[in-house]
Amino acid sequence: MLENNNFDEVVLKRHTAREFDPEITISKGELLQMITYATKAPSALNMQPTRFVVAQSNAAKEKIAAVAGTNAPEILSASAVVLIGGETDLGPFEEDLFKRAEAAGLLTDRAIEHQKPMIENLVATFKENQQALREFIIQNSSLAAMSFMLAARAYGYETGAMTGFDHEKIIPALDLDPNHFLPTLLIAVGKPKSAPDSLYRIPASKITVFK
Amino acid sequence: MLENNNFDEVVLKRHTAREFDPEITISKGELLQMITYATKAPSALNMQPTRFVVAQSNAAKEKIAAVAGTNAPEILSASAVVLIGGETDLGPFEEDLFKRAEAAGLLTDRAIEHQKPMIENLVATFKENQQALREFIIQNSSLAAMSFMLAARAYGYETGAMTGFDHEKIIPALDLDPNHFLPTLLIAVGKPKSAPDSLYRIPASKITVFK
């Protein structure tokens, strides 16, 4: 349930949590609601490659913890751990996406004339250039990941994002298909057990130049 | 000025704009306020590699448009175009970051004991592995980019994110230092001139699996 609809507070007071109350459960329905915010993030050519694997069971969390080194405590105490990643076989998926958009009455002329040929070119490039595909998935899934983390706060939870996990071993650990999923980020979600650290942020003026 | 503090509306009604009212100007101060929201995004080990180059002048926008192909109209009509990217020489920068955190009273024990050696290892890895550095910057800058796009909406603007630009040529075009900046995303900001397209989004349930 949306508990905090104050944009300013959701974004400016977000802190990474490292320890959660293990007694809290979050329903599948509520997790899907939070993921819906993530689906509204923009993606290149609206290709929407981002995918979510939600570990709720203790068995699944233990399998993730086993390949996540020092991050194990936050994974095991979290209400859910969301593995964010991307679909790596984008060709057939795109056909389906256009059909779905048409069925929903949201297939624009721009999409047909402009995006479709660009998508076909991009998918062909990805077949030759695995690195370009990796970067595409990292970029798009990270945009969605940020919206998900903010939505979790709006729903009254806090998150802890982790890149420190074995990106190859997590695939068999969670019984995922390596031909369809590239993992990019792990996000623990729950009610923080202790007040998260306030971390230093560089002032905007120090990292911005105007032209 | 914060015009829309409704989290739900900011996130769920965001649409990519492709044409802006060229008469609108946004002050540097307001752009820095919006970038401040982006600085609150999490980053790996709190390393904050994201950097912002804001093109406000017509001369700068024209230089970007010249290396951005079909995206030229949205670049030229936008009030500002923000080139998001990352600092690529993270070693010396990290020393400064720890000093700044200490001066602000926000240097945690965890940062000294846990993060500092991990950062040193990571920076050493990046010296050997340029691809790992690229992916690190793409991931972290994309998290910040999403918060920036949402902040722009909260401030009453709309954005259009673009990956379709010449990532190498934009460096000399904007007189940036290739030893310190890797570009990842262009974001046009302004008041949309026409109602943006509502694009189809895959339902969360179709792209999520539970474990």
Side-chain angles (χ1 to χ4, degrees), chain A residues 208-210, chain B residues 31 34-35 51-56 61 64 78-85 148 159-162 165 170 174 181 184-189:
Chain A
T208 305
V209 292
F210 288 88
Chain B
L31 284 158
M34 296 190 278
I35 291 170
R51 299 291 179 273
F52 302 84
V53 180
V54 183
Q56 285 188 299
K61 284 189 267 180
I64 296 174
S79 305
V81 182
V82 181
L83 175 62
I84 294 186
F148 174 77
T159 55
M162 295 162 273
F165 62 96
I170 206 165
L174 290 177
F181 188 80
T184 59
L185 197 65
L186 265 184
I187 301 180
V189 191

Side-chain angles (χ1 to χ4, degrees), chain A residues 87-113:
Chain A
E87 167 66 57
T88 51
D89 187 16
L90 290 163
F93 163 69
E94 279 304 313
E95 285 301 313
D96 182 52
L97 194 59
F98 270 79
K99 280 180 204 154
R100 286 170 174 275
E102 190 172 19
L106 291 172
L107 187 60
T108 63
D109 289 348
R110 181 183 167 91
I112 297 166
E113 288 158 29

